[in-house]
Amino acid sequence: MEGVGAENPSRFISSKKKLKIWSAACSTGEEPYTLAMILSNLVPLSQIEILATDLDENVLARAELGMYPERSLNEVPEKIKRKYFEKKADFYRVDEEIKRRVTFKKQNLLADRFEQEFDLIICRNVLIYFTEEAKNLLYEKFSASLRSGGVFFVGSTEQIFTPGKYQFETIDTFFYKKK
């Protein structure tokens, strides 16, 4: 993630009041919660606003609960578990402050309108299921939803071969910045 600003987070995180992020196709919420946890070490939680969307209402309901079985956190360091989770029997519940930073919403990527002015959009491991025509439409919609300089992050099998067509420039493998 060097090109994204990992070596200098302030380069990516602007001085504006809120960092607006979208986790598209978020499934059961691990990705948006993890983003909130990571970013909380860089900026105050009050400056983090994450939209997490998915088409499946059942996974969204599970995501909103923020409860994960112990086996799901096997690779999470104890320090992180203690800081961001509360243990309840065989489950871990995401800290309420972290949960408040994430808004879950049902969304059909092809049919529904997208919000605007995102600083970061993450859409990993879902675009592979779309036709090339649908991918082109989605890349256009994602690009239109990013602010200038915003970053679009796709999964490892979803590289954009013509990023300029969508007003993107490649900044690292699978990371694209809107021009």
Side-chain angles (χ1 to χ4, degrees):
M1 277 190 20
E2 287 179 15
V4 179
E7 77 289 351
N8 181 5
S10 62
R11 208 178 79 196
F12 176 68
I13 300 170
S14 67
S15 61
K16 59 187 220 164
K17 292 200 187 281
K18 293 258 186 198
L19 184 60
K20 188 175 178 184
I21 299 167
W22 177 17
S23 174
C26 71
S27 187
T28 54
E30 290 90 336
E31 181 177 87
Y33 288 137
T34 300
L35 281 165
M37 291 172 198
I38 292 168
L39 290 169
S40 73
N41 292 301
L42 302 171
V43 298
L45 275 171
S46 62
Q47 292 181 347
I48 301 168
E49 177 183 302
I50 300 173
L51 172 65
T53 63
D54 203 281
L55 182 60
D56 186 329
E57 291 177 353
N58 292 322
V59 298
L60 286 171
R62 287 179 44 208
E64 284 183 312
L65 287 175
M67 295 281 287
Y68 298 97
E70 194 165 3
R71 71 182 181 286
S72 294
L73 279 78
N74 280 344
E75 296 183 31
V76 176
E78 281 303 316
K79 181 180 176 183
I80 302 296
K81 287 181 195 175
R82 283 192 305 273
K83 185 173 181 178
Y84 297 110
F85 295 90
E86 181 183 355
K87 188 154 174 32
K88 296 280 190 183
D90 293 338
F91 288 87
Y92 282 87
R93 181 183 353 199
V94 175
D95 176 80
E96 287 300 317
E97 289 296 315
I98 294 295
K99 284 176 68 175
R100 279 195 274 279
R101 304 319 322 155
V102 181
T103 302
F104 291 96
K105 181 174 130 184
K106 180 178 178 179
Q107 183 168 40
N108 179 324
L109 293 175
L110 289 174
D112 296 337
R113 291 185 60 228
F114 290 4
E115 287 186 26
Q116 303 294 302
E117 293 298 307
F118 285 101
D119 296 292
L120 172 65
I121 297 174
I122 300 170
C123 186
R124 298 173 49 249
N125 306 322
V126 72
L127 295 168
I128 56 174
Y129 299 107
F130 290 97
T131 65
E132 287 305 310
E133 181 181 26
K135 285 181 196 178
N136 288 332
L137 171 67
L138 288 173
Y139 292 149
E140 288 172 9
K141 289 175 76 173
F142 283 126
S143 177
S145 292
L146 280 167
R147 67 166 175 78
S148 179
V151 174
F152 181 47
F153 176 36
V154 297
S156 61
T157 59
E158 300 167 326
Q159 186 171 5
I160 302 173
F161 294 105
T162 55
K165 179 178 176 181
Y166 310 102
Q167 298 180 328
F168 291 135
E169 63 181 76
T170 304
I171 54 174
D172 206 343
T173 308
F174 316 116
F175 288 87
Y176 304 91
K177 182 168 74 173
K178 182 169 178 185
K179 298 177 184 178

